[in-house]
Amino acid sequence: MPVRTLCSRLRDDRGSEAVQAALLTPVLIAFVCLALAAGRLAMAGSKIDAAAEDAARAASLARTAAQAQHDAHQAARESLDDRGVHCTDASVTVSTDGLAAPVGQIGTVTATVRCTVPLTDLFLPTPGSRTLTSTFTSTVDQYRQRGA
C-alpha cells in the first residue's frame, strides 16, 4: 500500500501551476515594459517628425537666414512642448541655403530635430534614454522677396 501511495503522489501535479506562475510572471512583466517602451518611442518619433516639419516650414517663411534659424528653433520647441514630448537634450539644425537662391528660382530649407527621450519612468530593468532624429525639407516660395 505505501508503494501505491508514493506512486500516486509522484503523479499528482498539485502546485505545478504556482511554480509556472512564479517563473512566467517576471517574463511577462518584462515583456509589458518593453512593449510600453517601444510604444513610447514610436509615439515620440512621430511627434519629433511633426516638430521637424514645423521647424522647416517656419524657416522657409523667413526672409533672412538668421531669422530662419530663430523661427525654426522656436517652432520646434513649441511643437515638442505642445505635444508633451520632454527631451533631456534637444537640438535643431537648419540648412538655410535655399534662402540665398535668387528670386524666381526654387530653394529649399531643411530642419533636423534631435531629441533624447528618457525611459527611466517606465521601470525597465535597465533604465536609460534614446536619441531620436527627424529631418524635413520645405520649399521656399520662388517669387517671394528675400532679405540680405
Side-chain angles (χ1 to χ4, degrees):
M1 207 68 153
V3 172
R4 188 167 228 183
T5 306
L6 178 62
C7 289
S8 67
R9 284 189 178 175
L10 289 176
R11 290 186 192 140
D12 190 15
D13 61 353
R14 284 183 292 172
S16 65
E17 288 84 12
V19 172
Q20 290 174 355
L23 293 174
L24 290 178
T25 300
V27 173
L28 291 175
I29 290 172
F31 180 73
V32 167
C33 287
L34 289 175
L36 286 173
R40 171 164 298 167
L41 289 175
M43 294 274 296
S46 67
K47 293 174 182 180
I48 291 169
D49 288 344
E53 183 178 344
D54 292 345
R57 182 67 182 145
S60 72
L61 296 175
R63 299 206 186 270
T64 65
Q67 186 65 39
Q69 294 280 347
H70 176 268
D71 291 350
H73 285 275
Q74 184 175 356
R77 185 173 50 250
E78 288 175 3
S79 180
L80 290 172
D81 288 343
D82 289 346
R83 289 175 171 83
V85 178
H86 304 288
C87 303
T88 56
D89 184 28
S91 66
V92 179
T93 307
V94 183
S95 170
T96 58
D97 297 336
L99 293 175
V103 174
Q105 292 184 1
I106 297 175
T108 60
V109 174
T110 302
T112 302
V113 176
R114 282 188 176 79
C115 176
T116 302
V117 180
L119 299 174
T120 55
D121 57 341
L122 291 177
F123 306 113
L124 293 174
T126 55
S129 61
R130 177 83 189 243
T131 301
L132 303 173
T133 304
S134 182
T135 301
F136 191 81
T137 301
S138 183
T139 58
V140 178
D141 184 7
Q142 65 181 342
Y143 297 111
R144 197 172 103 210
Q145 180 183 3
R146 293 170 173 91

